[in-house]
Amino acid sequence: MNSPVLQYDDIQGTILRGYRVDLARHFVLSIRDPASAGRFIRKLVTGQDGLPRVTTAERWLKKPSGFLNIGFTCPGLAALGVGAEQLASFDPAFQLGATNAASASAVGDVGDSSPAQWIGGLADGGRVHVLLSLWVAKDPALLESLSARLRQGFADGFSELSAHDAQALPDNQVHFGYRDSIAQPTIAGAPARKRQAPDDQEVVATGEFLLGYLNQSGGVYTVKPEQLSRNGSYAAFRILEQDVAGFDAFLNEYAAKAGIDPELLAAKVCGRWRNGNPLTLRPDEAGATLPADQLNDFNYVNSQPSQDDTLGLKCPIGSHIRRNNPRNGAVVGTDSAHHRIVRRAMPYGPAYDPLRPTQAARGLIGYFINASLRNQFEFLSGQWSLLSDFVKSATEPGNPDAGNAVFNISGEDVFLGVNNAADSSFTLAAPGRMGKNNTVLKGFSRMITTRGGAYCFFPGIGGLRYLADLAAP
């Protein structure tokens, strides 16, 4: 794939770069005075009046201590003066917004996860206009000082609906105990990652993550006006609360029912051991953590029988990482490269201590970034995470093994796909039996509850200038 030359200084940094920080704060804002809001946006572009400057994807010689990015919802763009005809050119899911009943149902935000239950003003999607995110390397005092400057800067033009903090856990873990952020798509033209490890997957077209470039289908996602149609991207902002005590109870109860070790069950439902080793490469025991150049260098379908896992005998078909990135497996929809997302999320809440359990809220907060919310985030969340038969059926060409029972009852994504405990299931394939005598776990509750969300648009730097001038000529 030919890689385009990208204008890194016109692209918001969080789209193409992982900041690897310890602290973050996400401000949820509502525009009260468009002219004042426009002036504030202009200052963020230039770093004027002591405000932090919007971070771009430019290479840095020395890593900054803080980073800032800004996204706008559809009502937010309208409040700044983007017209209805122009907004009609944006992604259909973005136009509807995350609180729309159809959008919420499509991604499993129902019941306790429904928008009506969301916190921090996010339930009122019409008032949520801006997501302003501040990341800081290590210093809590710097987070507070930069936050104070931002609050002073946006006081005239915005109402602060809420602010949500995140803090990295040791060894880059999430609250469920797994190492996180191991796999991210390799984007054509993106800056090379400092610790980029081999990944046995194709480089994904730039247009799957940035507007104005060719995507995997050979098309180009664009919007109107032209000033917003280059170097922008969409993101689903999510607050996902993790039931750590419930997950521990699930592992102990269902591992006993399946006759396996709880840690093996934890690996099976995720697709990786908690130290990050993939089941495809380490199917029997976690062992020592594999080198970085091996953690993500694998596929599920292989012409060599000893390395093939088409039937999910090593890594279950329904496991979390296999659903969210089926790699070269045959699945509903097009191949996985058409539906990849960039994830920029961090834990929030105190670390869980099983010896001193508390009811404190804890989970994951951040962005799922892509150039098409409908084709990437919503497709992945609604089709691959929620449907038990997300692999190709026996009637579809190209997958002669799909009629096997292990495909047809692969079960839900244990973390994100369970909406009704009475109907929940997860299939463990019987070792070496080609899907016969499977163990099916049933009746468990969802482990993650959505506590907030918003669909936002990250304009390029030129796009931010356009919005500032539109609101405050």
Side-chain angles (χ1 to χ4, degrees):
M1 176 180 295
N2 294 326
S3 297
V5 177
L6 304 184
Q7 295 175 269
Y8 296 149
D9 62 349
D10 191 50
I11 301 169
Q12 293 205 47
T14 193
I15 301 168
L16 299 181
R17 289 186 177 276
Y19 295 145
R20 294 184 179 273
V21 294
D22 296 314
L23 302 168
R25 179 166 291 159
H26 303 281
F27 298 92
V28 181
L29 307 177
S30 186
I31 295 173
R32 189 175 62 250
D33 180 347
S36 295
R39 290 191 288 270
F40 175 71
I41 294 167
R42 187 179 293 121
K43 291 178 182 179
L44 293 184
V45 171
T46 61
Q48 186 180 339
D49 290 351
L51 290 169
R53 186 177 179 179
V54 172
T55 304
T56 70
E58 287 181 288
R59 301 175 189 273
W60 54 68
L61 297 177
K62 181 181 178 182
K63 182 176 178 179
S65 56
F67 308 86
L68 183 77
N69 291 108
I70 185 169
F72 303 87
T73 66
C74 190
L77 292 180
L80 292 172
V82 179
E85 181 180 351
Q86 295 169 321
L87 289 174
S89 69
F90 280 69
D91 183 274
F94 173 75
Q95 295 179 54
L96 290 175
T99 58
N100 175 270
S103 299
S105 178
V107 300
D109 287 341
V110 298
D112 291 342
S113 291
S114 66
Q117 309 296 324
W118 289 358
I119 62 175
L122 290 161
D124 186 356
R127 290 191 65 212
V128 177
H129 293 158
V130 174
L131 274 297
L132 185 65
S133 294
L134 176 65
W135 290 271
V136 169
K138 291 182 178 296
D139 187 358
L142 179 61
L143 178 69
E144 295 304 329
S145 66
L146 292 177
S147 295
R149 289 185 218 169
L150 289 169
R151 283 182 165 123
Q152 184 177 11
F154 63 60
D156 291 339
F158 301 83
S159 297
E160 181 180 328
L161 302 182
S162 57
H164 306 271
D165 286 2
Q167 182 169 0
L169 296 175
D171 197 28
N172 203 30
Q173 291 184 338
V174 296
H175 287 289
F176 287 144
Y178 300 95
R179 285 188 63 194
D180 195 28
S181 297
I182 294 173
Q184 295 277 19
T186 301
I187 304 169
R193 295 195 291 268
K194 184 178 180 180
R195 300 189 181 108
Q196 183 146 354
D199 187 340
D200 192 9
Q201 298 172 91
E202 65 180 295
V203 175
V204 183
T206 314
E208 294 295 324
F209 303 96
L210 287 172
L211 274 62
Y213 299 88
L214 288 177
N215 57 36
Q216 286 292 125
S217 301
V220 179
Y221 294 118
T222 61
V223 299
K224 297 177 182 178
E226 182 182 351
Q227 293 91 329
L228 297 177
S229 198
R230 186 77 169 175
N231 294 326
S233 190
Y234 297 100
F237 176 74
R238 307 282 280 170
I239 303 174
L240 303 174
E241 185 173 308
Q242 298 174 333
D243 181 5
V244 185
F247 184 54
D248 284 351
F250 161 82
L251 292 177
N252 290 324
E253 177 183 352
Y254 284 86
K257 291 180 178 180
I260 61 176
D261 185 82
E263 282 304 306
L264 177 57
L265 181 56
K268 291 288 188 182
V269 298
C270 178
R272 293 184 186 271
W273 297 91
R274 294 210 238 205
N275 68 359
N277 288 346
L279 276 171
T280 302
L281 300 180
R282 289 289 184 272
D284 300 319
E285 59 181 4
T289 301
L290 292 168
D293 62 358
Q294 297 180 33
L295 281 175
N296 208 34
D297 192 18
F298 65 93
N299 254 317
Y300 297 118
V301 179
N302 196 296
S303 59
Q304 299 183 35
S306 63
Q307 299 181 31
D308 182 65
D309 194 28
T310 299
L311 296 178
L313 303 183
K314 300 174 184 177
C315 178
I317 300 293
S319 66
H320 179 69
I321 69 165
R322 193 157 179 168
R323 282 183 170 278
N324 284 268
N325 181 14
R327 296 177 182 256
N328 65 341
V331 292
V332 170
T334 52
D335 66 75
S336 64
H338 289 76
H339 306 292
R340 298 295 302 274
I341 57 174
V342 167
R343 189 163 64 87
R344 307 296 189 206
M346 290 174 60
Y348 71 87
Y352 180 75
D353 183 353
L355 299 179
R356 299 178 180 83
T358 67
Q359 297 300 314
R362 51 178 62 86
L364 203 66
I365 184 171
Y367 297 96
F368 298 81
I369 299 171
N370 42 229
S372 171
L373 287 162
R374 176 64 54 84
N375 186 56
Q376 290 165 269
F377 174 74
E378 287 196 345
F379 182 93
L380 189 154
S381 302
Q383 298 292 315
W384 289 353
S385 288
L386 291 180
L387 300 182
S388 61
D389 56 351
F390 82 109
V391 294
K392 285 188 175 180
S393 71
T395 61
E396 295 185 71
N399 192 8
D401 293 310
N404 192 289
V406 70
F407 285 101
N408 295 331
I409 54 170
S410 59
E412 292 81 18
D413 182 327
V414 168
F415 300 107
L416 294 170
V418 178
N419 289 326
N420 186 345
D423 298 329
S424 64
S425 69
F426 186 82
T427 299
L428 301 172
R433 295 300 301 275
M434 297 296 287
K436 297 178 181 178
N437 300 322
N438 300 318
T439 299
V440 182
L441 311 180
K442 294 185 176 183
F444 49 86
S445 300
R446 183 168 169 170
M447 306 299 167
I448 292 178
T449 303
T450 306
R451 292 303 184 198
Y455 287 166
C456 64
F457 177 68
F458 286 122
I461 304 305
L464 289 174
R465 292 193 182 97
Y466 168 81
L467 291 174
D469 291 343
L470 185 66

